[in-house]
Amino acid sequence: MPFGEQPAYLRVAGDLRRKIADGTLPPRTRLPSQARIRAEYGVSDTVALEARKVLMAEGLVEGRSGSGTYVRERPVPRGVIRTGYRPAGEIGPFRQEQADERVSGTWESRSEQEEASPAVAERLRIKEGERVMRTRYLFRVDGEPVMLSTSWEPLVLTGRTPVMLPEEGPLGGRGVVERMAAIDIVVDNVVEEVGARPGLAEEMLELGGVPGHTVLVVERTYRAGGRPVETADVVVSADRHHMVYHLPVR
């Protein structure tokens, strides 16, 4: 194959992609059948099938059992605004993850103790197997699931204190900074690393997406004097959200 020449299935997928983008194939429209693609583009059944697989992998179409393949709705991406460190007393769990004051939402949470995995232990700078409090959140806006968050806090710091359970007790739901301040730990730094990966089946089930489609992951760690006191993974669907950072100039 000459340099720069695309395989046939990619050329077919590219043409169908353009038709979806320009509205020739609008949302909820049935994608041309494999036989029609074969006839229209003069390709084999294998090429037609591979082209459809490309569009499905890109999240542009979805299969419906017994009905065919249809163009998916393309939501307008919602901005998830991040501001980094915020002073104590200003935020709860939802505002900690979505700093846009125009957006309000609700959350569900569940906390339980577990042993730190190698990855969590490295992020918290503790030994593998040490006890941590893991809290899982599901955030909603207008009743629709938009974000998952899983946080870990070392029980060597919070165990047997009033803030051991992030969502219970006198400071339940008040955010990491204020809760840590209550046990004389002053959070002075937060680091966020943003990456992307295929969404896990259980994540996409909760977020209402398709397993394998791309998610954005914010790996966040709060620190006090250089010591990690909480780390979390914040997960959103990449086709529905983009990250917006508002950072102070010093």
Side-chain angles (χ1 to χ4, degrees):
M1 182 176 65
F3 178 77
E5 182 178 334
Q6 284 188 322
Y9 76 95
L10 289 181
R11 286 188 276 111
V12 174
D15 190 63
L16 291 171
R17 188 188 299 115
R18 283 189 291 273
K19 290 180 178 179
I20 292 172
D22 68 18
T24 303
L25 290 172
R28 299 186 296 278
T29 298
R30 186 174 180 177
L31 195 72
S33 66
Q34 190 166 314
R36 184 175 170 186
I37 292 175
R38 182 187 65 214
E40 182 175 342
Y41 293 95
V43 296
S44 66
D45 279 334
T46 300
V47 169
L49 177 60
E50 290 301 313
R52 289 158 64 92
K53 285 182 178 179
V54 168
L55 298 178
M56 293 189 74
E58 293 176 349
L60 296 175
V61 300
E62 60 186 355
R64 299 179 187 174
S65 180
S67 179
T69 305
Y70 291 80
V71 178
R72 292 183 65 209
E73 293 276 2
R74 301 297 292 172
V76 177
R78 180 195 299 270
V80 177
I81 296 181
R82 318 290 294 176
T83 61
Y85 173 74
R86 304 183 76 190
E90 292 190 3
I91 55 174
F94 185 85
R95 194 57 59 214
Q96 180 170 275
E97 309 302 358
Q98 167 59 282
D100 189 345
E101 301 291 346
R102 299 167 298 178
V103 179
S104 60
T106 59
W107 67 90
E108 306 161 15
S109 67
R110 183 177 72 254
S111 296
E112 57 188 353
Q113 295 186 34
E114 67 177 19
E115 294 182 353
S117 67
V120 169
E122 181 178 3
R123 287 163 60 173
L124 289 175
R125 298 182 191 169
I126 60 177
K127 294 181 179 179
E128 178 183 346
E130 281 194 32
R131 304 295 291 177
V132 294
M133 183 66 71
R134 181 191 66 198
T135 303
R136 290 178 172 168
Y137 296 88
L138 172 62
F139 297 93
R140 301 177 185 272
V141 173
D142 297 328
E144 295 294 324
V146 296
M147 186 185 310
L148 296 171
S149 176
T150 304
S151 71
W152 297 269
E153 296 179 354
L155 285 172
V156 68
L157 297 180
T158 62
R160 301 180 183 275
T161 74
V163 301
M164 184 174 74
L165 292 168
E167 294 300 303
E168 298 181 23
L171 292 177
R174 299 294 289 272
V176 175
V177 177
E178 188 168 355
R179 289 177 47 251
M180 292 298 168
I183 55 174
D184 298 323
I185 295 175
V186 179
V187 174
D188 55 17
N189 181 260
V190 58
V191 175
E192 294 195 345
E193 297 182 22
V194 182
R197 59 168 171 77
L200 303 178
E202 53 268 31
E203 292 172 334
M204 304 314 286
L205 179 64
E206 291 191 276
L207 291 174
V210 178
H213 285 181
T214 304
V215 295
L216 297 175
V217 182
V218 179
E219 187 179 294
R220 181 197 65 225
T221 302
Y222 279 97
R223 294 173 178 161
R227 180 178 187 176
V229 299
E230 187 256 20
T231 193
D233 286 338
V234 181
V235 179
V236 298
S237 297
D239 64 342
R240 299 180 185 177
H241 300 87
H242 58 266
M243 295 293 173
V244 181
Y245 279 83
H246 291 181
L247 304 176
V249 177
R250 297 186 180 183

